[in-house]
Amino acid sequence: MNKKNKNKGSIISQLRERIESTSIPLTGIKEGITDQELAVLLGELEIFQLELEMQNDELSASYQLLENERAKFAGLFNLAPVGYFILNHIGIIEEANRTGSDLLGQVKTDLREKLFQSYISPHHWELFYSFLHKMQSTITKQSSEIVMLMSGGKELYTRMEGIAVLDIYTGKNKFYVTLIDITESRSAQQKLMDTTHRLEMTLRASGTGTWTMELGNNKLFLDSFSYSILELNAWDFDGTIQSLLDLIHPDDHAVVRRSIINTINLAEDLDLEFRIVTASGKIKNISAKGHQVNSEAYTAYFAGIIVDITERKRLAKISDDLKTERQKLIMSATFDAQEKERSQISSALHDSVCQILYGIRLNLQNIQLTKNLKDDFDPVNKLLDQAIRETRELSYELTPSVLRDFGFKAGVREMAQRLNTPKFTINTNIHSSADNIIPEVQLYIFRIIQELVSNSIKHAGASLSEITVSQSDNFYTIVVRDNGAGFNQDIEYSLSLGSGIRGIKNRVFLLNGDMDLQTSVKGTTITIRFRTDAYLS
């Protein structure tokens, strides 16, 4: 304590000497100031010094805090995903962030003191001036879509947003503007518009209208082309499902109503055809298809298409009528063929079997006259054997009973055995599923194979023939191959002469199949292909 007082006394003495030695008059200081008064003054000065040091520490801390905040917001300003610009009242750029300079393809320092308008497409200057005027005349944020010019003259579609702020130092407005690159979204929007336009053109070209139906409120929305399909005026349709039901033909009314109810209640796809009666009394056939669309943003609804199929129905009826007429012609041709076949049977029996039997009768008459019975029955037996053999051959040619009794596979094999000779061999490979072919088609195929093998024997001079019948997926494939001399003339010319190939081709046509013929001096291969569910059409 004594040391502290001693130091304080020393300081007071020094302070007194400095006051007395100064040549500057000190107003307000009394002459003959006491040490006690100087001590009080010194204490006050120390307090002032302490307060100043504390204020300086607070100012330093505040400055550091402000500097940290400035650095943080400067980082946010420069690294923001949108471009920021500060413009003065005439549009000169005072500040820009890094994103903004990158959008314009410029160096940040080069943007300062430049007119912002110089980076805007001339076609959008008027739009930009209108944008500035709106910011000046209101305190709310304004926005506009404006095309900017990047370095190199490349255009950039942007959404510009901004607000005017009064500068307290100049008393004039400053404009705080943000730029967002919308080039990609603009391109996607344009593509969507183009796609929508093409879809509308496609739907219109195909005679297709569109409709939507909201669930729960009985509301139905039609596009303009649907109105034309239904021959409705927009002011005559109140947008309800009942109004649509009123157009439907009475005979189809119940079916349509039930289908719509099931569609709404069970969320089933809508697919129905019905007739409507237009305001002019014309009956039109309509096809309507649709399905439920679920959306998180909107209530579920149904959307679909509507098509006028009146002409399609008319053409389908004509096609059915033609098919019926064709079937009648085929039946008529079949009956004619049956009559022709019967005539051939009659001729064959008369010219062959009857002559043989006539010879037997003559031989029996001769026996009766001569009374000589020794060895006279041998020729009779031979003739009878020949008659039986030829009758069986004739019966097989007319209708192969083995085909009817044991199936297609057995019938083809039996034919091959009958035609096999020491000079001509037939090999067969028949898939067992061929027995499932309907009998009428089996007979057609049998006749085709029979004709092909006969051609190999009679015309090709072949020594070997191979018959293959296979199944793959929903098709049967028949291949008949021989090692004969092939065709010695043009195939089309052979068809024009009425050869057996034309008959085969006609049978294949009736089966809705196709035939491929490959021929050379080494042999002929004919491939026939038809569906497993083929029938005589």
Side-chain angles (χ1 to χ4, degrees), residues 449-505:
I449 295 175
Q450 192 176 42
E451 180 66 26
L452 291 174
V453 173
S454 177
N455 287 342
S456 298
I457 297 173
K458 295 178 181 178
H459 307 297
S463 61
L464 175 66
S465 179
E466 297 178 353
I467 303 170
T468 302
V469 179
S470 60
Q471 179 188 1
S472 178
D473 296 329
N474 295 324
F475 289 89
Y476 284 113
T477 302
I478 299 170
V479 180
V480 178
R481 181 184 297 107
D482 65 42
N483 62 351
F487 286 90
N488 56 7
Q489 57 188 5
D490 184 74
I491 297 175
E492 295 299 327
Y493 179 71
S494 299
L495 292 173
S496 66
L497 294 179
S499 66
I501 294 295
R502 186 171 66 180
I504 294 171
K505 194 169 184 179

Tab-separated table of all heavy atoms in Angstrom, residues 449-505:
chain	number	residue	atom	x	y	z
A	449	ILE	N	-48.995	-84.109	-101.288
A	449	ILE	CA	-47.819	-84.987	-101.219
A	449	ILE	C	-47.910	-86.057	-102.297
A	449	ILE	O	-46.913	-86.384	-102.969
A	449	ILE	CB	-47.715	-85.619	-99.815
A	449	ILE	CG1	-47.450	-84.529	-98.774
A	449	ILE	CG2	-46.619	-86.667	-99.783
A	449	ILE	CD1	-47.457	-85.028	-97.338
A	450	GLN	N	-49.097	-86.611	-102.470
A	450	GLN	CA	-49.305	-87.650	-103.483
A	450	GLN	C	-48.948	-87.124	-104.877
A	450	GLN	O	-48.282	-87.808	-105.668
A	450	GLN	CB	-50.764	-88.104	-103.436
A	450	GLN	CG	-51.064	-89.374	-104.216
A	450	GLN	CD	-52.525	-89.788	-104.032
A	450	GLN	OE1	-53.419	-88.952	-104.056
A	450	GLN	NE2	-52.742	-91.084	-103.852
A	451	GLU	N	-49.363	-85.889	-105.194
A	451	GLU	CA	-49.085	-85.296	-106.495
A	451	GLU	C	-47.591	-85.039	-106.672
A	451	GLU	O	-47.019	-85.268	-107.754
A	451	GLU	CB	-49.872	-84.000	-106.659
A	451	GLU	CG	-49.689	-83.279	-107.973
A	451	GLU	CD	-50.231	-84.077	-109.149
A	451	GLU	OE1	-51.142	-84.909	-108.942
A	451	GLU	OE2	-49.713	-83.894	-110.267
A	452	LEU	N	-46.918	-84.567	-105.592
A	452	LEU	CA	-45.485	-84.280	-105.681
A	452	LEU	C	-44.676	-85.551	-105.902
A	452	LEU	O	-43.735	-85.574	-106.699
A	452	LEU	CB	-45.023	-83.564	-104.403
A	452	LEU	CG	-45.548	-82.139	-104.205
A	452	LEU	CD1	-45.128	-81.605	-102.846
A	452	LEU	CD2	-45.060	-81.226	-105.315
A	453	VAL	N	-45.044	-86.617	-105.170
A	453	VAL	CA	-44.336	-87.887	-105.353
A	453	VAL	C	-44.588	-88.439	-106.756
A	453	VAL	O	-43.681	-88.957	-107.419
A	453	VAL	CB	-44.764	-88.892	-104.277
A	453	VAL	CG1	-44.159	-90.266	-104.554
A	453	VAL	CG2	-44.350	-88.412	-102.899
A	454	SER	N	-45.831	-88.309	-107.230
A	454	SER	CA	-46.160	-88.775	-108.584
A	454	SER	C	-45.336	-88.026	-109.624
A	454	SER	O	-44.842	-88.630	-110.594
A	454	SER	CB	-47.657	-88.581	-108.850
A	454	SER	OG	-47.985	-88.967	-110.164
A	455	ASN	N	-45.146	-86.712	-109.442
A	455	ASN	CA	-44.318	-85.943	-110.373
A	455	ASN	C	-42.872	-86.433	-110.356
A	455	ASN	O	-42.202	-86.481	-111.394
A	455	ASN	CB	-44.364	-84.459	-110.010
A	455	ASN	CG	-45.695	-83.821	-110.362
A	455	ASN	OD1	-46.462	-84.373	-111.168
A	455	ASN	ND2	-45.975	-82.686	-109.764
A	456	SER	N	-42.378	-86.794	-109.148
A	456	SER	CA	-41.003	-87.294	-109.054
A	456	SER	C	-40.840	-88.586	-109.837
A	456	SER	O	-39.801	-88.830	-110.467
A	456	SER	CB	-40.628	-87.518	-107.586
A	456	SER	OG	-40.674	-86.310	-106.865
A	457	ILE	N	-41.870	-89.418	-109.794
A	457	ILE	CA	-41.796	-90.715	-110.486
A	457	ILE	C	-41.954	-90.538	-111.996
A	457	ILE	O	-41.171	-91.067	-112.795
A	457	ILE	CB	-42.878	-91.668	-109.940
A	457	ILE	CG1	-42.622	-91.961	-108.452
A	457	ILE	CG2	-42.906	-92.963	-110.747
A	457	ILE	CD1	-43.732	-92.757	-107.787
A	458	LYS	N	-42.992	-89.757	-112.388
A	458	LYS	CA	-43.354	-89.678	-113.800
A	458	LYS	C	-42.457	-88.745	-114.603
A	458	LYS	O	-42.122	-89.044	-115.756
A	458	LYS	CB	-44.794	-89.206	-113.933
A	458	LYS	CG	-45.820	-90.179	-113.354
A	458	LYS	CD	-47.215	-89.600	-113.484
A	458	LYS	CE	-48.267	-90.534	-112.883
A	458	LYS	NZ	-49.635	-89.954	-112.966
A	459	HIS	N	-42.081	-87.582	-114.016
A	459	HIS	CA	-41.435	-86.548	-114.820
A	459	HIS	C	-39.979	-86.290	-114.449
A	459	HIS	O	-39.201	-85.910	-115.317
A	459	HIS	CB	-42.210	-85.222	-114.671
A	459	HIS	CG	-43.668	-85.356	-114.966
A	459	HIS	ND1	-44.153	-85.719	-116.207
A	459	HIS	CD2	-44.764	-85.176	-114.171
A	459	HIS	CE1	-45.481	-85.749	-116.177
A	459	HIS	NE2	-45.878	-85.421	-114.939
A	460	ALA	N	-39.619	-86.489	-113.182
A	460	ALA	CA	-38.264	-86.119	-112.767
A	460	ALA	C	-37.261	-87.237	-112.964
A	460	ALA	O	-36.061	-86.987	-112.958
A	460	ALA	CB	-38.262	-85.682	-111.307
A	461	GLY	N	-37.731	-88.488	-113.125
A	461	GLY	CA	-36.806	-89.606	-113.247
A	461	GLY	C	-36.002	-89.815	-111.990
A	461	GLY	O	-34.833	-90.216	-112.046
A	462	ALA	N	-36.594	-89.569	-110.829
A	462	ALA	CA	-35.871	-89.665	-109.566
A	462	ALA	C	-35.812	-91.095	-109.082
A	462	ALA	O	-36.669	-91.930	-109.414
A	462	ALA	CB	-36.552	-88.789	-108.512
A	463	SER	N	-34.799	-91.391	-108.266
A	463	SER	CA	-34.681	-92.703	-107.645
A	463	SER	C	-34.923	-92.621	-106.139
A	463	SER	O	-35.012	-93.654	-105.475
A	463	SER	CB	-33.288	-93.285	-107.908
A	463	SER	OG	-32.293	-92.455	-107.346
A	464	LEU	N	-35.015	-91.395	-105.616
A	464	LEU	CA	-35.201	-91.224	-104.173
A	464	LEU	C	-36.073	-89.991	-103.929
A	464	LEU	O	-35.903	-88.955	-104.562
A	464	LEU	CB	-33.843	-91.032	-103.471
A	464	LEU	CG	-33.891	-90.723	-101.972
A	464	LEU	CD1	-34.458	-91.917	-101.201
A	464	LEU	CD2	-32.503	-90.346	-101.444
A	465	SER	N	-37.001	-90.165	-102.994
A	465	SER	CA	-37.838	-89.037	-102.577
A	465	SER	C	-37.922	-89.053	-101.056
A	465	SER	O	-38.024	-90.117	-100.441
A	465	SER	CB	-39.242	-89.129	-103.191
A	465	SER	OG	-40.044	-88.039	-102.753
A	466	GLU	N	-37.855	-87.863	-100.461
A	466	GLU	CA	-37.939	-87.725	-99.002
A	466	GLU	C	-39.111	-86.824	-98.650
A	466	GLU	O	-39.265	-85.733	-99.196
A	466	GLU	CB	-36.648	-87.129	-98.441
A	466	GLU	CG	-35.420	-88.005	-98.671
A	466	GLU	CD	-34.154	-87.357	-98.133
A	466	GLU	OE1	-34.247	-86.183	-97.721
A	466	GLU	OE2	-33.100	-88.008	-98.134
A	467	ILE	N	-39.931	-87.311	-97.701
A	467	ILE	CA	-41.111	-86.559	-97.261
A	467	ILE	C	-40.918	-86.224	-95.785
A	467	ILE	O	-40.738	-87.118	-94.954
A	467	ILE	CB	-42.410	-87.374	-97.453
A	467	ILE	CG1	-42.569	-87.782	-98.913
A	467	ILE	CG2	-43.613	-86.572	-96.962
A	467	ILE	CD1	-43.697	-88.781	-99.133
A	468	THR	N	-40.956	-84.928	-95.468
A	468	THR	CA	-40.800	-84.489	-94.082
A	468	THR	C	-41.965	-83.575	-93.712
A	468	THR	O	-42.283	-82.638	-94.444
A	468	THR	CB	-39.481	-83.705	-93.889
A	468	THR	OG1	-38.399	-84.544	-94.287
A	468	THR	CG2	-39.305	-83.286	-92.436
A	469	VAL	N	-42.607	-83.891	-92.565
A	469	VAL	CA	-43.674	-83.037	-92.031
A	469	VAL	C	-43.294	-82.703	-90.594
A	469	VAL	O	-43.157	-83.589	-89.756
A	469	VAL	CB	-45.052	-83.736	-92.081
A	469	VAL	CG1	-46.120	-82.811	-91.481
A	469	VAL	CG2	-45.414	-84.129	-93.507
A	470	SER	N	-43.107	-81.387	-90.302
A	470	SER	CA	-42.680	-80.964	-88.972
A	470	SER	C	-43.572	-79.835	-88.479
A	470	SER	O	-44.299	-79.201	-89.246
A	470	SER	CB	-41.221	-80.498	-89.003
A	470	SER	OG	-41.069	-79.414	-89.884
A	471	GLN	N	-43.507	-79.590	-87.157
A	471	GLN	CA	-44.271	-78.505	-86.544
A	471	GLN	C	-43.327	-77.623	-85.750
A	471	GLN	O	-42.466	-78.092	-85.009
A	471	GLN	CB	-45.370	-79.041	-85.622
A	471	GLN	CG	-46.180	-77.932	-84.947
A	471	GLN	CD	-47.139	-78.461	-83.895
A	471	GLN	OE1	-47.191	-79.671	-83.659
A	471	GLN	NE2	-47.867	-77.574	-83.249
A	472	SER	N	-43.470	-76.303	-85.887
A	472	SER	CA	-42.695	-75.335	-85.126
A	472	SER	C	-43.591	-74.154	-84.805
A	472	SER	O	-44.184	-73.559	-85.706
A	472	SER	CB	-41.474	-74.868	-85.933
A	472	SER	OG	-40.749	-73.898	-85.218
A	473	ASP	N	-43.688	-73.854	-83.509
A	473	ASP	CA	-44.592	-72.782	-83.057
A	473	ASP	C	-46.009	-73.090	-83.531
A	473	ASP	O	-46.544	-74.151	-83.220
A	473	ASP	CB	-44.114	-71.434	-83.565
A	473	ASP	CG	-42.753	-71.047	-82.987
A	473	ASP	OD1	-42.472	-71.462	-81.842
A	473	ASP	OD2	-41.987	-70.362	-83.671
A	474	ASN	N	-46.597	-72.221	-84.306
A	474	ASN	CA	-47.980	-72.416	-84.756
A	474	ASN	C	-48.051	-72.757	-86.232
A	474	ASN	O	-49.071	-72.498	-86.888
A	474	ASN	CB	-48.801	-71.151	-84.480
A	474	ASN	CG	-48.947	-70.872	-83.000
A	474	ASN	OD1	-49.069	-71.787	-82.199
A	474	ASN	ND2	-48.912	-69.595	-82.632
A	475	PHE	N	-46.990	-73.367	-86.767
A	475	PHE	CA	-46.964	-73.662	-88.196
A	475	PHE	C	-46.541	-75.112	-88.448
A	475	PHE	O	-45.737	-75.670	-87.705
A	475	PHE	CB	-45.992	-72.721	-88.922
A	475	PHE	CG	-46.475	-71.305	-89.019
A	475	PHE	CD1	-46.192	-70.402	-88.018
A	475	PHE	CD2	-47.213	-70.878	-90.106
A	475	PHE	CE1	-46.626	-69.091	-88.088
A	475	PHE	CE2	-47.661	-69.577	-90.196
A	475	PHE	CZ	-47.372	-68.678	-89.182
A	476	TYR	N	-47.111	-75.686	-89.512
A	476	TYR	CA	-46.661	-76.965	-90.049
A	476	TYR	C	-45.824	-76.686	-91.291
A	476	TYR	O	-46.142	-75.789	-92.090
A	476	TYR	CB	-47.837	-77.859	-90.441
A	476	TYR	CG	-48.537	-78.518	-89.267
A	476	TYR	CD1	-49.841	-78.180	-88.941
A	476	TYR	CD2	-47.890	-79.482	-88.500
A	476	TYR	CE1	-50.490	-78.772	-87.870
A	476	TYR	CE2	-48.526	-80.087	-87.431
A	476	TYR	CZ	-49.822	-79.732	-87.116
A	476	TYR	OH	-50.461	-80.325	-86.053
A	477	THR	N	-44.760	-77.456	-91.451
A	477	THR	CA	-43.902	-77.318	-92.628
A	477	THR	C	-43.776	-78.675	-93.299
A	477	THR	O	-43.441	-79.675	-92.646
A	477	THR	CB	-42.504	-76.800	-92.250
A	477	THR	OG1	-42.644	-75.537	-91.592
A	477	THR	CG2	-41.646	-76.624	-93.492
A	478	ILE	N	-44.076	-78.704	-94.594
A	478	ILE	CA	-43.986	-79.936	-95.388
A	478	ILE	C	-42.889	-79.738	-96.425
A	478	ILE	O	-42.902	-78.746	-97.170
A	478	ILE	CB	-45.320	-80.249	-96.090
A	478	ILE	CG1	-46.413	-80.459	-95.034
A	478	ILE	CG2	-45.192	-81.458	-96.995
A	478	ILE	CD1	-47.790	-80.529	-95.626
A	479	VAL	N	-41.941	-80.663	-96.453
A	479	VAL	CA	-40.850	-80.610	-97.422
A	479	VAL	C	-40.833	-81.933	-98.201
A	479	VAL	O	-40.748	-83.007	-97.598
A	479	VAL	CB	-39.490	-80.381	-96.735
A	479	VAL	CG1	-38.371	-80.335	-97.775
A	479	VAL	CG2	-39.513	-79.096	-95.917
A	480	VAL	N	-40.925	-81.839	-99.526
A	480	VAL	CA	-40.818	-83.020	-100.404
A	480	VAL	C	-39.629	-82.771	-101.319
A	480	VAL	O	-39.620	-81.802	-102.099
A	480	VAL	CB	-42.107	-83.234	-101.229
A	480	VAL	CG1	-41.933	-84.429	-102.150
A	480	VAL	CG2	-43.299	-83.439	-100.297
A	481	ARG	N	-38.631	-83.672	-101.199
A	481	ARG	CA	-37.371	-83.481	-101.925
A	481	ARG	C	-37.073	-84.743	-102.737
A	481	ARG	O	-37.288	-85.864	-102.270
A	481	ARG	CB	-36.258	-83.211	-100.918
A	481	ARG	CG	-34.895	-82.958	-101.523
A	481	ARG	CD	-33.827	-82.783	-100.439
A	481	ARG	NE	-34.076	-81.620	-99.612
A	481	ARG	CZ	-34.500	-81.652	-98.361
A	481	ARG	NH1	-34.756	-82.845	-97.790
A	481	ARG	NH2	-34.684	-80.553	-97.665
A	482	ASP	N	-36.589	-84.558	-103.988
A	482	ASP	CA	-36.173	-85.718	-104.786
A	482	ASP	C	-34.825	-85.441	-105.431
A	482	ASP	O	-34.331	-84.296	-105.398
A	482	ASP	CB	-37.232	-86.073	-105.834
A	482	ASP	CG	-37.422	-85.005	-106.893
A	482	ASP	OD1	-36.416	-84.423	-107.380
A	482	ASP	OD2	-38.570	-84.722	-107.244
A	483	ASN	N	-34.235	-86.479	-105.999
A	483	ASN	CA	-32.932	-86.346	-106.659
A	483	ASN	C	-33.067	-86.438	-108.167
A	483	ASN	O	-32.150	-86.887	-108.868
A	483	ASN	CB	-31.964	-87.412	-106.148
A	483	ASN	CG	-32.468	-88.831	-106.458
A	483	ASN	OD1	-33.602	-89.012	-106.906
A	483	ASN	ND2	-31.623	-89.833	-106.220
A	484	GLY	N	-34.214	-85.969	-108.680
A	484	GLY	CA	-34.465	-86.055	-110.117
A	484	GLY	C	-33.780	-84.958	-110.907
A	484	GLY	O	-32.923	-84.219	-110.412
A	485	ALA	N	-34.220	-84.852	-112.174
A	485	ALA	CA	-33.579	-83.928	-113.111
A	485	ALA	C	-34.079	-82.502	-112.971
A	485	ALA	O	-33.548	-81.595	-113.608
A	485	ALA	CB	-33.821	-84.407	-114.543
A	486	GLY	N	-35.095	-82.264	-112.161
A	486	GLY	CA	-35.629	-80.917	-111.995
A	486	GLY	C	-36.513	-80.519	-113.163
A	486	GLY	O	-36.789	-81.309	-114.067
A	487	PHE	N	-36.964	-79.268	-113.122
A	487	PHE	CA	-37.812	-78.753	-114.202
A	487	PHE	C	-36.941	-78.370	-115.402
A	487	PHE	O	-35.928	-77.703	-115.251
A	487	PHE	CB	-38.603	-77.515	-113.740
A	487	PHE	CG	-39.745	-77.849	-112.821
A	487	PHE	CD1	-39.544	-77.890	-111.449
A	487	PHE	CD2	-41.001	-78.107	-113.315
A	487	PHE	CE1	-40.586	-78.190	-110.599
A	487	PHE	CE2	-42.047	-78.396	-112.475
A	487	PHE	CZ	-41.848	-78.456	-111.110
A	488	ASN	N	-37.374	-78.806	-116.553
A	488	ASN	CA	-36.635	-78.450	-117.757
A	488	ASN	C	-37.267	-77.260	-118.485
A	488	ASN	O	-36.923	-76.977	-119.619
A	488	ASN	CB	-36.537	-79.652	-118.718
A	488	ASN	CG	-37.912	-80.199	-119.064
A	488	ASN	OD1	-38.928	-79.614	-118.698
A	488	ASN	ND2	-37.946	-81.319	-119.783
A	489	GLN	N	-38.212	-76.586	-117.817
A	489	GLN	CA	-38.833	-75.390	-118.392
A	489	GLN	C	-39.225	-74.448	-117.259
A	489	GLN	O	-39.226	-74.805	-116.089
A	489	GLN	CB	-40.056	-75.768	-119.229
A	489	GLN	CG	-41.110	-76.542	-118.455
A	489	GLN	CD	-42.215	-77.056	-119.374
A	489	GLN	OE1	-42.140	-76.903	-120.569
A	489	GLN	NE2	-43.221	-77.661	-118.792
A	490	ASP	N	-39.552	-73.202	-117.612
A	490	ASP	CA	-39.889	-72.192	-116.623
A	490	ASP	C	-41.084	-72.619	-115.785
A	490	ASP	O	-42.063	-73.167	-116.311
A	490	ASP	CB	-40.196	-70.868	-117.342
A	490	ASP	CG	-40.461	-69.752	-116.356
A	490	ASP	OD1	-39.496	-69.268	-115.747
A	490	ASP	OD2	-41.643	-69.405	-116.198
A	491	ILE	N	-41.014	-72.350	-114.483
A	491	ILE	CA	-42.085	-72.775	-113.572
A	491	ILE	C	-43.391	-72.075	-113.912
A	491	ILE	O	-44.458	-72.698	-113.943
A	491	ILE	CB	-41.673	-72.487	-112.118
A	491	ILE	CG1	-40.441	-73.319	-111.751
A	491	ILE	CG2	-42.820	-72.773	-111.166
A	491	ILE	CD1	-39.895	-73.020	-110.377
A	492	GLU	N	-43.338	-70.753	-114.163
A	492	GLU	CA	-44.556	-70.025	-114.495
A	492	GLU	C	-45.178	-70.562	-115.771
A	492	GLU	O	-46.405	-70.615	-115.909
A	492	GLU	CB	-44.253	-68.524	-114.633
A	492	GLU	CG	-43.812	-67.859	-113.336
A	492	GLU	CD	-44.902	-67.951	-112.285
A	492	GLU	OE1	-46.094	-67.918	-112.646
A	492	GLU	OE2	-44.550	-68.040	-111.088
A	493	TYR	N	-44.324	-70.979	-116.703
A	493	TYR	CA	-44.845	-71.559	-117.938
A	493	TYR	C	-45.530	-72.892	-117.651
A	493	TYR	O	-46.578	-73.210	-118.226
A	493	TYR	CB	-43.703	-71.759	-118.937
A	493	TYR	CG	-44.138	-72.377	-120.242
A	493	TYR	CD1	-44.900	-71.644	-121.155
A	493	TYR	CD2	-43.786	-73.686	-120.567
A	493	TYR	CE1	-45.308	-72.215	-122.357
A	493	TYR	CE2	-44.183	-74.258	-121.777
A	493	TYR	CZ	-44.943	-73.523	-122.664
A	493	TYR	OH	-45.345	-74.088	-123.849
A	494	SER	N	-44.950	-73.659	-116.721
A	494	SER	CA	-45.573	-74.928	-116.334
A	494	SER	C	-46.936	-74.690	-115.701
A	494	SER	O	-47.891	-75.426	-115.943
A	494	SER	CB	-44.666	-75.691	-115.362
A	494	SER	OG	-43.430	-75.995	-115.958
A	495	LEU	N	-47.035	-73.635	-114.898
A	495	LEU	CA	-48.314	-73.307	-114.279
A	495	LEU	C	-49.350	-72.930	-115.325
A	495	LEU	O	-50.522	-73.287	-115.218
A	495	LEU	CB	-48.130	-72.161	-113.279
A	495	LEU	CG	-47.323	-72.481	-112.018
A	495	LEU	CD1	-47.079	-71.209	-111.211
A	495	LEU	CD2	-48.047	-73.503	-111.147
A	496	SER	N	-48.902	-72.190	-116.344
A	496	SER	CA	-49.848	-71.761	-117.379
A	496	SER	C	-50.363	-72.923	-118.205
A	496	SER	O	-51.434	-72.842	-118.804
A	496	SER	CB	-49.173	-70.730	-118.297
A	496	SER	OG	-48.113	-71.335	-119.033
A	497	LEU	N	-49.609	-74.008	-118.258
A	497	LEU	CA	-50.054	-75.173	-119.010
A	497	LEU	C	-51.004	-76.054	-118.212
A	497	LEU	O	-51.509	-77.043	-118.743
A	497	LEU	CB	-48.833	-76.007	-119.451
A	497	LEU	CG	-47.884	-75.335	-120.458
A	497	LEU	CD1	-46.720	-76.268	-120.762
A	497	LEU	CD2	-48.630	-74.974	-121.739
A	498	GLY	N	-51.237	-75.691	-116.959
A	498	GLY	CA	-52.181	-76.467	-116.151
A	498	GLY	C	-51.578	-77.719	-115.574
A	498	GLY	O	-52.264	-78.729	-115.400
A	499	SER	N	-50.288	-77.675	-115.268
A	499	SER	CA	-49.632	-78.851	-114.695
A	499	SER	C	-50.096	-79.080	-113.266
A	499	SER	O	-50.817	-78.276	-112.680
A	499	SER	CB	-48.111	-78.661	-114.739
A	499	SER	OG	-47.742	-77.604	-113.874
A	500	GLY	N	-49.617	-80.203	-112.693
A	500	GLY	CA	-50.002	-80.534	-111.326
A	500	GLY	C	-49.523	-79.515	-110.313
A	500	GLY	O	-50.114	-79.367	-109.248
A	501	ILE	N	-48.433	-78.782	-110.631
A	501	ILE	CA	-47.919	-77.756	-109.718
A	501	ILE	C	-48.973	-76.679	-109.468
A	501	ILE	O	-49.134	-76.193	-108.356
A	501	ILE	CB	-46.637	-77.131	-110.293
A	501	ILE	CG1	-45.510	-78.177	-110.334
A	501	ILE	CG2	-46.200	-75.941	-109.453
A	501	ILE	CD1	-45.069	-78.640	-108.976
A	502	ARG	N	-49.725	-76.314	-110.499
A	502	ARG	CA	-50.746	-75.293	-110.318
A	502	ARG	C	-51.843	-75.781	-109.382
A	502	ARG	O	-52.339	-75.031	-108.534
A	502	ARG	CB	-51.347	-74.880	-111.656
A	502	ARG	CG	-52.314	-73.717	-111.523
A	502	ARG	CD	-52.731	-73.184	-112.858
A	502	ARG	NE	-53.515	-74.171	-113.611
A	502	ARG	CZ	-54.020	-73.949	-114.831
A	502	ARG	NH1	-53.766	-72.796	-115.426
A	502	ARG	NH2	-54.717	-74.868	-115.453
A	503	GLY	N	-52.221	-77.066	-109.526
A	503	GLY	CA	-53.218	-77.620	-108.616
A	503	GLY	C	-52.729	-77.605	-107.170
A	503	GLY	O	-53.485	-77.311	-106.241
A	504	ILE	N	-51.439	-77.929	-107.002
A	504	ILE	CA	-50.856	-77.885	-105.657
A	504	ILE	C	-50.887	-76.464	-105.112
A	504	ILE	O	-51.256	-76.232	-103.954
A	504	ILE	CB	-49.415	-78.429	-105.703
A	504	ILE	CG1	-49.430	-79.926	-106.054
A	504	ILE	CG2	-48.700	-78.194	-104.377
A	504	ILE	CD1	-48.060	-80.491	-106.338
A	505	LYS	N	-50.506	-75.517	-105.950
A	505	LYS	CA	-50.468	-74.112	-105.510
A	505	LYS	C	-51.872	-73.625	-105.147
A	505	LYS	O	-52.050	-72.875	-104.174
A	505	LYS	CB	-49.875	-73.245	-106.618
A	505	LYS	CG	-49.490	-71.856	-106.159
A	505	LYS	CD	-48.672	-71.132	-107.211
A	505	LYS	CE	-48.207	-69.781	-106.693
A	505	LYS	NZ	-47.375	-69.051	-107.690
